[in-house]
Amino acid sequence: MSDPFGGIDNFLKDLLIGFGLDSTFVAVILKLAAAAVLGGLAGATAIVLIWVERKLVARIQDRLGPNRVGPYGLLQTIADALKLLTKEVLIPAGADRLVFQMAPLLVVASVIGVWAVMPLAPGLIGSDVNVGLLYILSVGSIGTLGIMMAGLSSNNKYALLGAFRTVAQMVSFMVPLILSLLIPTLLAGSMGMADIVNSQAGLWFIFLAPLAALIFFVSSIAEVGRTPFDLMEADSEIVAGFHIEYSGMAFGMFFVGEFVHAFTISALMAVIFLGGWRGPGAEAFPLLGLVYFLIKTSIMYFVVIWVRATFPRIRIDQMNAFNWKFVTPLALVVLMVTAIVDKLAIESGWPRFLVHVIANLLMVVGTLVILRTQAAALRRRLDVVPEAPVTQPETA
Amino acid sequence: MALQWLFIGAILLVGASMAALPIALNTLLGPKKPNKNKSETYECGIETVGETWVQLKGQYYIFGLIFLIFDIEAVFLFPWAVAYDKLQLYMVLEGVLFILILAGGLVYAWRKGALEWV
C-alpha cells in the first residue's frame, strides 16, 4: 500500500524479465507503455471534460444542458464524437494540405505532452526531467504554432485574421507566463516539477506568491484562448477564426485540444502553486495523493469554467493594453520584489511567509493606487475635451 | 536520463496519434462526395475576392519583436532562478538589474507608442 505505483512497475518488470527478456529492453518497453497509458488517459479526459463544461455553463446560465443521451446526458459527448466521425473530411481548395492536416496533430500533441512532467502522486511522475517548467513552456508554444499553422494554411481570410490574432495574443501572453513561472522556480530552487512539489511541503506557493499565482492563472487562460480571451476564434467577429475550414474530426481535435488544455492549466496551477498531491496523509498513501491532486485540479477547472461563463470577450486593443501595460509590468515588479524580499528574509531570519504576504499586499495596494490615479487622469482628460454636439438623426 | 527523454518523445507521439487516429477513422468512415462548391473557401456565400494572403498590419510584427526580447530573456533568467538558493544578496541584485534593463526596453517601446493598438 505504501507504494502501489512502484509496486506495479516492479511487478511488470519481474514478469517480463521472467519471460527471459533483457532488463534494459524491459525498462524501455515499460516506459513506452506508461507513456501510452498516460497520454491516452489525458486525451480521453476530453470526453468527460466537454460534458462537465457544458453542464456547468448551462447551470450558470440557468439552463439544463445536455440531459437526453444517457443518464444526465453523460453519453452526449460520445454521440457527438460518433456524429463527427461520419462527416466528410473537407480540405478547401488552395489550402496547404500538409500544414493544414498537421495543425490539429500538433495542437493535441502539445497539450498531452505537458502531462509527461506532471507529478500526479508521490513517486508517480511520467518523466522527472530537471527542466520541467522550461519543457512545459516550450511544448506549450508548439500548440500556439499549431493554431497559427491552421490559420495560415486554410486559404481563408477569416482564418488568417485568427492566425494574426494568435500572434498578438498567445505569443504576447507567453511573456507574463514566463515571468510568473520564474517565481516558483526561484522559491523552489529548481525547474523540476517533482522538486517544486517537494519544496511546498511546508507552505504552498500560493501563500508565498499569491500575485504570481494570479498572473500565471490569467495568462494561462489567455494561452488556452478561453472566453475572456477567445479573440482568435471569436465567432461573432471572424466566424470561427483559425478552425473555420476544418470539418469532421479534424475540427473536433481542436476542441479536444482546447478542453484538455484548460484541464492541463488547472493541473499546472494545482502542481505549481497549490502543492500538487500534498495533503494530510498523502506521503503514507500515494493513492490519497492522487485524489488530492485531482480535487485541486477540479477546483481550478471549475474556476476556469466559471470565468468563461461570467466574463464577456474583450476587444483586441483592450487585450493588448491589458497584457503589455498591466500584466507584464506587474509581473516584472513582482519578480524583482519577490527575489529581493525572499533573499532578505532568509539572510536576516525573518518569517518567510509574513514577509511575502506583506510584500504582496503592498504591491496590490500600489497597483490599485496607480490604476486609480491613471483612471482619474483619464477622466479629467476626457472631461476637458469638449464633446461635439450630438445631432439626433431624424426618425420617421 | 535517456529513459526520461524517451518517455517524453513517446508521449508526444501518443499525443499526435490521439489526434491522428480519429481523423484517419473519420476519413475512412465519412462520405466522399467531393464537388467544386464544397471545397470553395468559406466566406459569406459569394466567391471570395482577391488574394487570401492580405497584407498584415505592421503592429503584429512589432509585438512579435517585443515578444522575442522577453522570450530570450527567459533563457538567461531561468538559470538565475534555479541557482537562487546559492546566490548572495548582491548576485540577486544583479539579476534584478538585468530585469530592470529589460523593463527599460518595455518602457521605451511604450513611450514610442509601439504598444498602442491603432
Side-chain angles (χ1 to χ4, degrees):
Chain A
M1 196 59 210
S2 61
D3 189 12
F5 311 115
I8 293 171
D9 191 42
N10 282 333
F11 170 72
L12 287 174
K13 210 171 270 176
D14 291 345
L15 190 72
L16 288 175
I17 292 174
F19 287 152
L21 296 171
D22 184 44
S23 63
T24 326
F25 181 67
V26 168
V28 168
I29 290 287
L30 281 183
K31 273 285 176 204
L32 291 181
V37 170
L38 182 60
L41 279 181
T45 45
I47 293 176
V48 185
L49 293 178
I50 293 175
W51 176 80
V52 167
E53 171 134 3
R54 288 180 66 178
K55 210 67 181 166
L56 270 176
V57 170
R59 296 315 303 190
I60 291 174
Q61 295 169 345
D62 204 10
R63 291 185 288 121
L64 284 175
N67 64 351
R68 293 287 141 183
V69 194
Y72 305 104
L74 264 169
L75 301 178
Q76 182 68 54
T77 322
I78 296 169
D80 288 346
L82 285 178
K83 188 205 83 171
L84 282 178
L85 275 177
T86 55
K87 291 281 169 188
E88 185 171 358
V89 183
L90 291 174
I91 297 177
D96 193 336
R97 295 181 75 93
L98 180 67
V99 180
F100 186 80
Q101 283 166 319
M102 259 178 70
L105 268 60
L106 283 187
V107 170
V108 174
S110 88
V111 174
I112 290 179
V114 173
W115 285 85
V117 294
M118 199 78 82
L120 302 170
L124 183 65
I125 175 168
S127 160
D128 186 20
V129 287
N130 54 0
V131 287
L133 285 181
L134 212 55
Y135 168 77
I136 286 173
L137 285 172
S138 48
V139 168
S141 31
I142 294 179
T144 310
L145 189 70
I147 289 180
M148 275 165 63
M149 279 164 60
L152 292 174
S153 67
S154 290
N155 191 33
N156 182 310
K157 283 171 195 147
Y158 289 126
L160 195 67
L161 279 174
F164 289 166
R165 289 180 171 199
T166 311
V167 179
Q169 174 182 330
M170 298 177 97
V171 156
S172 294
F173 270 98
M174 274 304 269
V175 174
L177 196 70
I178 291 168
L179 291 172
S180 62
L181 281 180
L182 277 163
I183 291 165
T185 310
L186 63 83
L187 290 177
S190 169
M191 283 190 276
M193 298 296 273
D195 288 342
I196 286 177
V197 175
N198 283 334
S199 58
Q200 297 182 68
L203 207 54
W204 297 351
F205 284 161
I206 194 162
F207 298 118
L208 288 179
L211 269 178
L214 190 65
I215 292 171
F216 173 76
F217 191 59
V218 171
S219 39
S220 301
I221 291 182
E223 277 293 298
V224 183
R226 287 183 85 80
T227 285
F229 303 101
D230 62 343
L231 294 146
M232 64 268 197
E233 49 180 314
D235 0 19
S236 50
E237 299 163 26
I238 49 173
V239 198
F242 64 92
H243 59 61
I244 184 171
E245 289 286 5
Y246 284 85
S247 66
M249 256 307 165
F251 159 77
M253 280 307 130
F254 282 113
F255 248 74
V256 168
E258 189 195 317
F259 279 83
V260 179
H261 198 175
F263 191 64
T264 308
I265 62 156
S266 320
L268 283 178
M269 188 76 191
V271 165
I272 298 170
F273 289 103
L274 297 176
W277 45 260
R278 294 212 161 266
E283 266 147 4
F285 304 101
L287 272 179
L288 205 57
L290 187 61
V291 172
Y292 287 135
F293 168 75
L294 286 178
I295 290 176
K296 287 171 187 173
T297 307
S298 309
I299 292 173
M300 288 324 292
Y301 190 63
F302 173 72
V303 178
V304 172
I305 296 175
W306 190 5
V307 167
R308 177 206 150 144
T310 308
F311 289 102
R313 182 187 310 130
I314 56 175
R315 287 201 315 263
I316 190 157
D317 60 326
Q318 290 169 333
M319 186 275 295
N320 263 303
F322 177 65
N323 180 20
W324 288 108
K325 297 180 181 175
F326 182 68
V327 183
T328 303
L330 183 65
L332 283 169
V333 171
V334 171
L335 176 59
M336 288 189 282
V337 170
T338 309
I340 295 174
V341 154
D342 197 47
K343 202 40 111 184
L344 281 178
I346 290 171
E347 288 203 344
S348 53
W350 296 332
R352 213 173 163 205
F353 169 61
L354 212 63
V355 166
H356 275 289
V357 166
I358 291 172
N360 272 284
L361 271 179
L362 285 179
M363 280 188 283
V364 168
V365 171
T367 313
L368 290 181
V369 167
I370 291 175
L371 282 182
R372 269 182 73 92
T373 17
Q374 289 288 320
L378 189 67
R379 270 198 300 275
R380 263 200 308 280
R381 207 164 59 233
L382 289 181
D383 280 344
V384 167
V385 178
E387 272 182 31
V390 181
T391 47
Q392 287 288 331
E394 296 207 1
T395 47
Chain B
M1 203 61 211
L3 270 184
Q4 308 277 5
W5 291 106
L6 177 81
F7 184 88
I8 285 179
I11 205 168
L12 285 174
L13 278 182
V14 169
S17 45
M18 285 290 286
L21 287 180
I23 294 175
L25 200 60
N26 188 6
T27 324
L28 279 178
L29 291 180
K32 280 171 272 300
K33 293 190 187 102
N35 69 36
K36 198 174 159 293
N37 290 337
K38 267 188 202 168
S39 62
E40 251 176 29
T41 299
Y42 168 76
E43 212 159 87
C44 57
I46 53 169
E47 274 176 43
T48 168
V49 177
E51 277 270 297
T52 303
W53 286 76
V54 288
Q55 210 166 19
L56 67 114
K57 208 166 151 180
Q59 198 94 39
Y60 293 108
Y61 185 68
I62 292 174
F63 281 113
L65 273 182
I66 305 173
F67 162 73
L68 203 61
I69 299 164
F70 278 91
D71 206 30
I72 293 172
E73 147 248 306
V75 180
F76 296 108
L77 280 178
F78 267 110
W80 171 74
V82 169
Y84 184 76
D85 287 345
K86 304 174 197 74
L87 299 181
Q88 305 286 323
L89 182 59
Y90 78 92
M91 299 174 184
V92 172
L93 288 177
E94 277 174 18
V96 169
L97 193 67
F98 177 71
I99 301 170
L100 275 176
I101 295 172
L102 272 170
L106 184 66
V107 170
Y108 175 76
W110 195 337
R111 298 282 295 186
K112 277 281 177 183
L115 302 183
E116 307 302 325
W117 191 260
V118 281

